[in-house]
Structure formats: C-alpha cells, structure tokens
Amino acid sequence: MTRPIRLGMLTPSSNTALEPITCAMLSGIDDVSAHFSRFKVTEIALSEQALRQFDASEILRAAELLAHAKVDVIAWNGTSASWLGFDRDESLCEQITAATGIKACTTVLAYRDLLRRIGASRIGLVTPYRTDVQERIIANWNLQGLHCFAERHLSLQDNFSFAEVSEAEVAKLIEEVVREGCDAAVVLCTNMRGAGAAERLEQRFGAPVLDSIAVTLWACLAAAGCDPSRVQGWGSLFSNPDLRAATAIHMGGRDLQS
C-alpha cells in the first residue's frame, strides 16, 4: 500500500476559497490529502491592528495543531510577506520547523523560486488589495528582482470579500495584464478564484498564469516528494517539465532540496 502524503496548510480564518479549490485540484489523487489549520485574519491593510494579525505566535499555534496530524509539510498558505517583507516568511519557516520538526514552505517564497526559475522579467500582478498595500507589495517584490510590469487591484480590505469576486472577473484582470505585455501573470491572494481560469488563459495567450492557491499546492507537493504533474487540468505550473525538478524548501534555516 502506498504511504499516504498529508499536506498541512495554515489558512486565514476568513478565507473561503483555498480549501475547496485545493481539494478540487487534488481530486482523483487518492494518496494525497490536504489538512488545514486557521488563525484569525479578517482584513488586509497596513494599520497596526491589521499587521498584528500576522504575529508569528498566532501562526505557530496553528502550525503545532497541524503537527498533531503528522503532516509531511506545513505551508503558510497566504501572501502577507509580500507587504511585510520576504524575511518574515523565511523566519516563519525556520520557526515552524524548530517547533514541529516538519519542513515548511510559504506561498510567497514559492513564488520567488518559481518566477526566478522561469525567468519572468515582466510580471503582471493581480490582487484584491488596497492601493497602499499594492504599492508596498510592488516595492518588496522589486527588491527581490521580481519586477511588476503591469498591475490590477480591486481596493478591497475585508478578507472575506476577496472570495466573492467571481472567477470571470479575476480572469478579466489577468487578461488585462497579459495584454499589456507581461510574461507571467500572478494572482497574489489565496482567497481569489484565479486557479480555475489558469489553463484556459494560458492556452489563449501563451503566458504562464500563476495563482496563489495553486502555487502553494505546487510547493507542498514538491516538499513532500510528490510529482506536481499528477495534478492535471490546472495549468502549466503543474504540467511544465521544467518545474517538476527539485525546488528549494526553506527548513530550519537551511535551503534544502526536496
């Protein structure tokens, strides 16, 4: 009998998109399951109150609960390091592994790895966030050599509201940044419905469409030693053979290959 693979994911409390979409992507893969632990996140803003939601102590409590399920990897399935700084996720991965003994990854660190590997020089950034948050994201991504060539944002703050934006509307925003000439489109939010449109838009326009929920799953599968190409029908992220190779997973302060 094949040993089951259990993927642990840390989830914002008001997120209603990532769990069903992740499970849909794993549909038909009987030996891989996703398990979720929540901590309180209700708004995305730059106020002190909003930023306190991402205090590491709250996230670590949720991670320790996932460890009880003996998961193979723990992912922070969220994009907060984009406005807080990439070092926040690097530190978080180290803390999760120190507390649980389980390797860790995050959405934002996976994006950095992917975008560098595919050589994307003109990123089209799609988010639901406020203008000030979007500007902070672009500044932080630029510091990492991830250059945002085009952008669209919806100026929303209530985290629950992000999932209320239809897949068709998200697809329209993706199409707009691709038409501006970006060489990769990024849907940066794990509570937006971009994953289902990725394959169709890639076939139409020829540019990779990287959705945050899909990117996190890709990173988890790679960290757990499971071939991401087993996920079918969700875009080039999973089908591109160049992205099936080992990916760097940050664990205990060291970059490991998994």
Side-chain angles (χ1 to χ4, degrees), residues 141-195:
W141 278 48
N142 284 343
L143 287 174
Q144 298 292 319
L146 308 175
H147 299 294
C148 298
F149 176 81
E151 68 86 21
R152 295 292 187 278
H153 63 284
L154 297 174
S155 297
L156 301 176
Q157 180 168 334
D158 172 26
N159 193 70
F160 179 85
S161 71
F162 303 162
E164 300 294 285
V165 180
S166 69
E167 182 179 297
E169 185 171 352
V170 177
K172 180 176 179 292
L173 298 175
I174 295 169
E175 180 176 341
E176 288 175 3
V177 296
V178 171
R179 288 188 181 281
E180 284 193 26
C182 72
D183 52 23
V186 165
V187 181
L188 188 69
C189 175
T190 62
N191 200 25
M192 280 191 93
R193 303 184 182 279

Short mmCIF file of all heavy atoms in Angstrom, two decimals, residues 141-195:
data_model
loop_
_atom_site.label_atom_id
_atom_site.label_comp_id
_atom_site.label_asym_id
_atom_site.label_seq_id
_atom_site.Cartn_x
_atom_site.Cartn_y
_atom_site.Cartn_z
N TRP A 141 8.56 43.24 -3.88
CA TRP A 141 8.87 42.30 -4.94
C TRP A 141 10.01 42.82 -5.81
O TRP A 141 10.88 42.06 -6.22
CB TRP A 141 7.61 42.02 -5.78
CG TRP A 141 6.71 40.99 -5.16
CD1 TRP A 141 6.30 40.93 -3.87
CD2 TRP A 141 6.16 39.84 -5.81
NE1 TRP A 141 5.49 39.83 -3.67
CE2 TRP A 141 5.39 39.16 -4.85
CE3 TRP A 141 6.20 39.36 -7.11
CZ2 TRP A 141 4.69 37.98 -5.14
CZ3 TRP A 141 5.51 38.19 -7.43
CH2 TRP A 141 4.76 37.51 -6.44
N ASN A 142 10.02 44.11 -6.09
CA ASN A 142 11.11 44.68 -6.88
C ASN A 142 12.46 44.48 -6.20
O ASN A 142 13.47 44.22 -6.86
CB ASN A 142 10.86 46.17 -7.13
CG ASN A 142 9.80 46.42 -8.19
OD1 ASN A 142 9.47 45.54 -8.97
ND2 ASN A 142 9.28 47.63 -8.22
N LEU A 143 12.50 44.58 -4.86
CA LEU A 143 13.74 44.37 -4.12
C LEU A 143 14.26 42.95 -4.28
O LEU A 143 15.46 42.70 -4.15
CB LEU A 143 13.52 44.67 -2.63
CG LEU A 143 13.37 46.15 -2.24
CD1 LEU A 143 13.02 46.28 -0.77
CD2 LEU A 143 14.66 46.92 -2.55
N GLN A 144 13.36 42.02 -4.57
CA GLN A 144 13.74 40.62 -4.78
C GLN A 144 14.05 40.33 -6.25
O GLN A 144 14.27 39.17 -6.62
CB GLN A 144 12.61 39.71 -4.31
CG GLN A 144 12.28 39.81 -2.84
CD GLN A 144 13.39 39.30 -1.94
OE1 GLN A 144 14.00 38.28 -2.25
NE2 GLN A 144 13.66 40.00 -0.85
N GLY A 145 14.04 41.36 -7.08
CA GLY A 145 14.28 41.16 -8.50
C GLY A 145 13.06 40.66 -9.25
O GLY A 145 13.17 40.19 -10.39
N LEU A 146 11.89 40.78 -8.62
CA LEU A 146 10.62 40.36 -9.23
C LEU A 146 9.90 41.62 -9.69
O LEU A 146 9.22 42.28 -8.90
CB LEU A 146 9.78 39.57 -8.22
CG LEU A 146 10.50 38.39 -7.54
CD1 LEU A 146 9.61 37.77 -6.48
CD2 LEU A 146 10.93 37.35 -8.57
N HIS A 147 10.05 41.96 -10.95
CA HIS A 147 9.63 43.27 -11.42
C HIS A 147 8.19 43.26 -11.92
O HIS A 147 7.84 42.55 -12.86
CB HIS A 147 10.59 43.75 -12.52
CG HIS A 147 12.00 43.89 -12.04
ND1 HIS A 147 12.38 44.82 -11.10
CD2 HIS A 147 13.12 43.17 -12.34
CE1 HIS A 147 13.68 44.70 -10.85
NE2 HIS A 147 14.15 43.71 -11.59
N CYS A 148 7.37 44.05 -11.28
CA CYS A 148 5.94 44.13 -11.62
C CYS A 148 5.78 45.13 -12.76
O CYS A 148 5.88 46.35 -12.56
CB CYS A 148 5.13 44.53 -10.39
SG CYS A 148 5.25 43.33 -9.05
N PHE A 149 5.51 44.61 -13.93
CA PHE A 149 5.44 45.39 -15.16
C PHE A 149 4.05 45.98 -15.36
O PHE A 149 3.89 47.07 -15.92
CB PHE A 149 5.81 44.47 -16.34
CG PHE A 149 5.69 45.08 -17.69
CD1 PHE A 149 6.68 45.89 -18.19
CD2 PHE A 149 4.58 44.82 -18.49
CE1 PHE A 149 6.58 46.44 -19.45
CE2 PHE A 149 4.46 45.37 -19.75
CZ PHE A 149 5.47 46.19 -20.23
N ALA A 150 3.04 45.24 -14.91
CA ALA A 150 1.65 45.69 -15.02
C ALA A 150 0.93 45.24 -13.77
O ALA A 150 1.33 44.27 -13.12
CB ALA A 150 0.99 45.11 -16.27
N GLU A 151 -0.13 45.96 -13.40
CA GLU A 151 -0.86 45.57 -12.19
C GLU A 151 -2.32 45.96 -12.28
O GLU A 151 -2.70 46.91 -12.96
CB GLU A 151 -0.21 46.20 -10.95
CG GLU A 151 -0.32 47.72 -10.84
CD GLU A 151 -1.61 48.19 -10.17
OE1 GLU A 151 -2.25 47.40 -9.45
OE2 GLU A 151 -1.99 49.35 -10.38
N ARG A 152 -3.13 45.17 -11.56
CA ARG A 152 -4.53 45.49 -11.34
C ARG A 152 -4.85 45.13 -9.89
O ARG A 152 -4.38 44.12 -9.37
CB ARG A 152 -5.44 44.68 -12.27
CG ARG A 152 -5.31 44.99 -13.75
CD ARG A 152 -5.82 46.37 -14.09
NE ARG A 152 -5.84 46.60 -15.53
CZ ARG A 152 -4.79 46.97 -16.24
NH1 ARG A 152 -3.61 47.14 -15.65
NH2 ARG A 152 -4.88 47.15 -17.55
N HIS A 153 -5.64 45.98 -9.23
CA HIS A 153 -6.07 45.67 -7.87
C HIS A 153 -7.48 46.21 -7.69
O HIS A 153 -7.92 47.10 -8.41
CB HIS A 153 -5.11 46.25 -6.85
CG HIS A 153 -5.00 47.75 -6.87
ND1 HIS A 153 -4.30 48.44 -7.84
CD2 HIS A 153 -5.52 48.70 -6.04
CE1 HIS A 153 -4.38 49.74 -7.59
NE2 HIS A 153 -5.13 49.93 -6.52
N LEU A 154 -8.19 45.64 -6.71
CA LEU A 154 -9.61 45.93 -6.54
C LEU A 154 -9.92 46.85 -5.36
O LEU A 154 -11.08 47.18 -5.13
CB LEU A 154 -10.38 44.61 -6.38
CG LEU A 154 -10.32 43.68 -7.60
CD1 LEU A 154 -10.99 42.35 -7.27
CD2 LEU A 154 -10.99 44.33 -8.81
N SER A 155 -8.90 47.24 -4.61
CA SER A 155 -9.06 48.18 -3.49
C SER A 155 -10.01 47.66 -2.41
O SER A 155 -10.76 48.42 -1.80
CB SER A 155 -9.53 49.56 -3.99
OG SER A 155 -8.56 50.13 -4.85
N LEU A 156 -9.97 46.36 -2.17
CA LEU A 156 -10.78 45.75 -1.11
C LEU A 156 -9.94 45.59 0.15
O LEU A 156 -8.72 45.46 0.09
CB LEU A 156 -11.30 44.39 -1.56
CG LEU A 156 -12.18 44.38 -2.82
CD1 LEU A 156 -12.53 42.94 -3.20
CD2 LEU A 156 -13.44 45.20 -2.61
N GLN A 157 -10.60 45.54 1.30
CA GLN A 157 -9.91 45.39 2.58
C GLN A 157 -10.42 44.20 3.38
O GLN A 157 -9.64 43.52 4.05
CB GLN A 157 -10.07 46.68 3.41
CG GLN A 157 -9.37 46.63 4.77
CD GLN A 157 -9.29 48.00 5.42
OE1 GLN A 157 -9.30 49.02 4.75
NE2 GLN A 157 -9.19 48.01 6.74
N ASP A 158 -11.71 43.93 3.33
CA ASP A 158 -12.31 42.83 4.06
C ASP A 158 -11.90 41.51 3.42
O ASP A 158 -12.23 41.24 2.27
CB ASP A 158 -13.84 42.98 4.04
CG ASP A 158 -14.57 41.78 4.59
OD1 ASP A 158 -13.97 41.07 5.42
OD2 ASP A 158 -15.72 41.55 4.20
N ASN A 159 -11.16 40.69 4.14
CA ASN A 159 -10.62 39.47 3.57
C ASN A 159 -11.71 38.54 3.04
O ASN A 159 -11.54 37.90 2.00
CB ASN A 159 -9.77 38.72 4.61
CG ASN A 159 -8.93 37.62 3.99
OD1 ASN A 159 -7.97 37.88 3.27
ND2 ASN A 159 -9.28 36.37 4.29
N PHE A 160 -12.83 38.46 3.72
CA PHE A 160 -13.93 37.60 3.28
C PHE A 160 -14.40 38.00 1.88
O PHE A 160 -14.75 37.15 1.06
CB PHE A 160 -15.09 37.67 4.26
CG PHE A 160 -16.28 36.84 3.86
CD1 PHE A 160 -16.34 35.48 4.18
CD2 PHE A 160 -17.34 37.40 3.16
CE1 PHE A 160 -17.43 34.71 3.79
CE2 PHE A 160 -18.44 36.63 2.78
CZ PHE A 160 -18.48 35.29 3.09
N SER A 161 -14.37 39.30 1.59
CA SER A 161 -14.90 39.80 0.32
C SER A 161 -14.09 39.35 -0.88
O SER A 161 -14.60 39.31 -2.01
CB SER A 161 -14.98 41.33 0.35
OG SER A 161 -13.68 41.91 0.29
N PHE A 162 -12.83 38.98 -0.67
CA PHE A 162 -11.97 38.63 -1.81
C PHE A 162 -12.53 37.43 -2.57
O PHE A 162 -12.47 37.37 -3.81
CB PHE A 162 -10.55 38.31 -1.35
CG PHE A 162 -9.86 39.40 -0.57
CD1 PHE A 162 -8.75 39.13 0.20
CD2 PHE A 162 -10.33 40.71 -0.60
CE1 PHE A 162 -8.10 40.12 0.91
CE2 PHE A 162 -9.69 41.72 0.12
CZ PHE A 162 -8.57 41.41 0.88
N ALA A 163 -13.06 36.46 -1.84
CA ALA A 163 -13.59 35.24 -2.47
C ALA A 163 -14.93 35.48 -3.15
O ALA A 163 -15.40 34.62 -3.91
CB ALA A 163 -13.72 34.12 -1.45
N GLU A 164 -15.55 36.62 -2.88
CA GLU A 164 -16.82 36.96 -3.51
C GLU A 164 -16.61 37.48 -4.94
O GLU A 164 -17.57 37.59 -5.70
CB GLU A 164 -17.55 38.02 -2.68
CG GLU A 164 -17.87 37.58 -1.25
CD GLU A 164 -18.86 36.44 -1.21
OE1 GLU A 164 -20.06 36.69 -1.46
OE2 GLU A 164 -18.45 35.29 -0.97
N VAL A 165 -15.37 37.80 -5.29
CA VAL A 165 -15.06 38.22 -6.66
C VAL A 165 -15.11 36.98 -7.55
O VAL A 165 -14.45 35.97 -7.27
CB VAL A 165 -13.67 38.88 -6.73
CG1 VAL A 165 -13.35 39.31 -8.16
CG2 VAL A 165 -13.60 40.08 -5.78
N SER A 166 -15.87 37.02 -8.60
CA SER A 166 -16.08 35.84 -9.44
C SER A 166 -14.83 35.45 -10.21
O SER A 166 -13.95 36.29 -10.47
CB SER A 166 -17.22 36.09 -10.43
OG SER A 166 -16.82 37.03 -11.41
N GLU A 167 -14.77 34.19 -10.60
CA GLU A 167 -13.66 33.73 -11.43
C GLU A 167 -13.60 34.51 -12.74
O GLU A 167 -12.52 34.83 -13.25
CB GLU A 167 -13.80 32.24 -11.71
CG GLU A 167 -12.65 31.66 -12.54
CD GLU A 167 -12.80 30.17 -12.78
OE1 GLU A 167 -12.78 29.42 -11.79
OE2 GLU A 167 -12.93 29.77 -13.96
N ALA A 168 -14.76 34.83 -13.29
CA ALA A 168 -14.80 35.58 -14.56
C ALA A 168 -14.16 36.96 -14.40
O ALA A 168 -13.44 37.43 -15.29
CB ALA A 168 -16.24 35.72 -15.04
N GLU A 169 -14.41 37.62 -13.26
CA GLU A 169 -13.82 38.94 -13.05
C GLU A 169 -12.31 38.84 -12.85
O GLU A 169 -11.54 39.67 -13.36
CB GLU A 169 -14.46 39.63 -11.84
CG GLU A 169 -13.97 41.05 -11.65
CD GLU A 169 -14.75 41.82 -10.59
OE1 GLU A 169 -15.79 41.31 -10.11
OE2 GLU A 169 -14.32 42.94 -10.25
N VAL A 170 -11.86 37.82 -12.10
CA VAL A 170 -10.43 37.61 -11.92
C VAL A 170 -9.77 37.33 -13.28
O VAL A 170 -8.70 37.87 -13.59
CB VAL A 170 -10.15 36.46 -10.94
CG1 VAL A 170 -8.65 36.20 -10.81
CG2 VAL A 170 -10.75 36.76 -9.56
N ALA A 171 -10.42 36.50 -14.09
CA ALA A 171 -9.88 36.19 -15.42
C ALA A 171 -9.74 37.44 -16.27
O ALA A 171 -8.77 37.59 -17.03
CB ALA A 171 -10.78 35.16 -16.11
N LYS A 172 -10.69 38.37 -16.15
CA LYS A 172 -10.63 39.62 -16.91
C LYS A 172 -9.40 40.44 -16.50
O LYS A 172 -8.72 41.02 -17.35
CB LYS A 172 -11.91 40.42 -16.68
CG LYS A 172 -11.97 41.75 -17.42
CD LYS A 172 -13.33 42.42 -17.20
CE LYS A 172 -13.41 43.77 -17.90
NZ LYS A 172 -12.51 44.76 -17.28
N LEU A 173 -9.11 40.48 -15.21
CA LEU A 173 -7.94 41.22 -14.73
C LEU A 173 -6.65 40.57 -15.23
O LEU A 173 -5.70 41.26 -15.61
CB LEU A 173 -7.95 41.28 -13.20
CG LEU A 173 -9.14 41.99 -12.55
CD1 LEU A 173 -9.07 41.86 -11.04
CD2 LEU A 173 -9.20 43.46 -12.97
N ILE A 174 -6.62 39.24 -15.20
CA ILE A 174 -5.45 38.52 -15.73
C ILE A 174 -5.25 38.85 -17.20
O ILE A 174 -4.14 39.16 -17.65
CB ILE A 174 -5.62 37.00 -15.53
CG1 ILE A 174 -5.66 36.65 -14.04
CG2 ILE A 174 -4.48 36.25 -16.23
CD1 ILE A 174 -6.08 35.21 -13.77
N GLU A 175 -6.32 38.80 -17.96
CA GLU A 175 -6.23 39.10 -19.38
C GLU A 175 -5.69 40.51 -19.62
O GLU A 175 -4.88 40.74 -20.53
CB GLU A 175 -7.61 38.95 -20.03
CG GLU A 175 -7.62 39.24 -21.51
CD GLU A 175 -8.97 39.00 -22.17
OE1 GLU A 175 -9.80 38.27 -21.58
OE2 GLU A 175 -9.19 39.55 -23.26
N GLU A 176 -6.11 41.46 -18.80
CA GLU A 176 -5.67 42.84 -18.98
C GLU A 176 -4.16 42.98 -18.78
O GLU A 176 -3.48 43.67 -19.56
CB GLU A 176 -6.43 43.75 -18.01
CG GLU A 176 -7.89 43.96 -18.39
CD GLU A 176 -8.67 44.76 -17.37
OE1 GLU A 176 -8.05 45.22 -16.37
OE2 GLU A 176 -9.89 44.95 -17.56
N VAL A 177 -3.60 42.34 -17.74
CA VAL A 177 -2.16 42.48 -17.52
C VAL A 177 -1.37 41.73 -18.58
O VAL A 177 -0.28 42.17 -19.00
CB VAL A 177 -1.73 42.04 -16.10
CG1 VAL A 177 -2.36 42.94 -15.05
CG2 VAL A 177 -2.04 40.58 -15.82
N VAL A 178 -1.90 40.60 -19.06
CA VAL A 178 -1.22 39.86 -20.12
C VAL A 178 -1.20 40.68 -21.41
O VAL A 178 -0.18 40.75 -22.10
CB VAL A 178 -1.90 38.50 -20.36
CG1 VAL A 178 -1.33 37.83 -21.61
CG2 VAL A 178 -1.72 37.59 -19.15
N ARG A 179 -2.31 41.35 -21.71
CA ARG A 179 -2.37 42.17 -22.92
C ARG A 179 -1.43 43.37 -22.84
O ARG A 179 -1.04 43.93 -23.88
CB ARG A 179 -3.80 42.63 -23.17
CG ARG A 179 -4.73 41.51 -23.65
CD ARG A 179 -6.08 42.06 -24.07
NE ARG A 179 -7.00 41.03 -24.52
CZ ARG A 179 -6.99 40.47 -25.72
NH1 ARG A 179 -6.09 40.86 -26.62
NH2 ARG A 179 -7.87 39.54 -26.05
N GLU A 180 -1.03 43.77 -21.63
CA GLU A 180 -0.08 44.87 -21.50
C GLU A 180 1.35 44.42 -21.78
O GLU A 180 2.26 45.25 -21.85
CB GLU A 180 -0.17 45.49 -20.11
CG GLU A 180 -1.38 46.39 -19.93
CD GLU A 180 -1.29 47.24 -18.67
OE1 GLU A 180 -0.16 47.53 -18.21
OE2 GLU A 180 -2.35 47.64 -18.16
N GLY A 181 1.55 43.11 -21.91
CA GLY A 181 2.87 42.61 -22.30
C GLY A 181 3.64 41.90 -21.22
O GLY A 181 4.86 41.67 -21.38
N CYS A 182 3.00 41.49 -20.13
CA CYS A 182 3.73 40.78 -19.09
C CYS A 182 4.06 39.36 -19.58
O CYS A 182 3.37 38.81 -20.45
CB CYS A 182 2.93 40.72 -17.78
SG CYS A 182 1.51 39.62 -17.81
N ASP A 183 5.13 38.78 -19.06
CA ASP A 183 5.50 37.43 -19.47
C ASP A 183 5.09 36.38 -18.44
O ASP A 183 5.32 35.19 -18.64
CB ASP A 183 6.98 37.31 -19.81
CG ASP A 183 7.89 37.85 -18.72
OD1 ASP A 183 7.46 37.91 -17.55
OD2 ASP A 183 9.04 38.19 -19.04
N ALA A 184 4.45 36.80 -17.35
CA ALA A 184 3.85 35.88 -16.38
C ALA A 184 2.82 36.67 -15.58
O ALA A 184 3.10 37.79 -15.14
CB ALA A 184 4.89 35.27 -15.45
N ALA A 185 1.64 36.09 -15.42
CA ALA A 185 0.60 36.74 -14.62
C ALA A 185 0.54 36.07 -13.25
O ALA A 185 0.57 34.84 -13.14
CB ALA A 185 -0.75 36.62 -15.31
N VAL A 186 0.46 36.89 -12.20
CA VAL A 186 0.44 36.41 -10.82
C VAL A 186 -0.86 36.87 -10.17
O VAL A 186 -1.13 38.08 -10.12
CB VAL A 186 1.64 36.95 -10.04
CG1 VAL A 186 1.45 36.76 -8.54
CG2 VAL A 186 2.92 36.27 -10.51
N VAL A 187 -1.66 35.93 -9.68
CA VAL A 187 -2.83 36.25 -8.87
C VAL A 187 -2.39 36.11 -7.43
O VAL A 187 -2.31 35.01 -6.88
CB VAL A 187 -4.01 35.32 -9.19
CG1 VAL A 187 -5.22 35.69 -8.34
CG2 VAL A 187 -4.36 35.39 -10.67
N LEU A 188 -2.09 37.23 -6.80
CA LEU A 188 -1.46 37.22 -5.47
C LEU A 188 -2.51 37.38 -4.38
O LEU A 188 -2.78 38.48 -3.91
CB LEU A 188 -0.41 38.33 -5.38
CG LEU A 188 0.44 38.28 -4.10
CD1 LEU A 188 1.36 37.07 -4.11
CD2 LEU A 188 1.23 39.56 -3.93
N CYS A 189 -3.10 36.28 -4.00
CA CYS A 189 -4.05 36.23 -2.89
C CYS A 189 -4.55 34.80 -2.83
O CYS A 189 -4.94 34.25 -3.87
CB CYS A 189 -5.22 37.19 -3.11
SG CYS A 189 -6.50 37.08 -1.83
N THR A 190 -4.57 34.20 -1.65
CA THR A 190 -5.05 32.83 -1.54
C THR A 190 -6.55 32.77 -1.26
O THR A 190 -7.08 31.71 -0.91
CB THR A 190 -4.29 32.05 -0.44
OG1 THR A 190 -4.52 32.67 0.83
CG2 THR A 190 -2.80 32.00 -0.75
N ASN A 191 -7.23 33.90 -1.44
CA ASN A 191 -8.69 33.91 -1.31
C ASN A 191 -9.33 34.49 -2.57
O ASN A 191 -10.40 35.09 -2.52
CB ASN A 191 -9.11 34.72 -0.07
CG ASN A 191 -10.52 34.39 0.39
OD1 ASN A 191 -11.03 33.29 0.14
ND2 ASN A 191 -11.15 35.32 1.10
N MET A 192 -8.65 34.31 -3.71
CA MET A 192 -9.18 34.72 -5.01
C MET A 192 -9.33 33.51 -5.92
O MET A 192 -8.61 32.52 -5.77
CB MET A 192 -8.26 35.75 -5.69
CG MET A 192 -8.42 37.16 -5.17
SD MET A 192 -7.55 38.36 -6.23
CE MET A 192 -8.89 38.83 -7.33
N ARG A 193 -10.24 33.62 -6.88
CA ARG A 193 -10.60 32.48 -7.71
C ARG A 193 -9.93 32.58 -9.09
O ARG A 193 -10.59 32.76 -10.10
CB ARG A 193 -12.12 32.40 -7.83
CG ARG A 193 -12.79 32.30 -6.48
CD ARG A 193 -14.29 32.12 -6.55
NE ARG A 193 -14.87 32.08 -5.22
CZ ARG A 193 -14.89 31.01 -4.42
NH1 ARG A 193 -14.35 29.88 -4.84
NH2 ARG A 193 -15.43 31.07 -3.21
N GLY A 194 -8.60 32.46 -9.09
CA GLY A 194 -7.88 32.51 -10.34
C GLY A 194 -7.44 31.15 -10.87
O GLY A 194 -7.18 31.00 -12.07
N ALA A 195 -7.34 30.15 -9.99
CA ALA A 195 -6.76 28.86 -10.39
C ALA A 195 -7.56 28.19 -11.50
O ALA A 195 -6.98 27.60 -12.42
CB ALA A 195 -6.66 27.94 -9.17
#
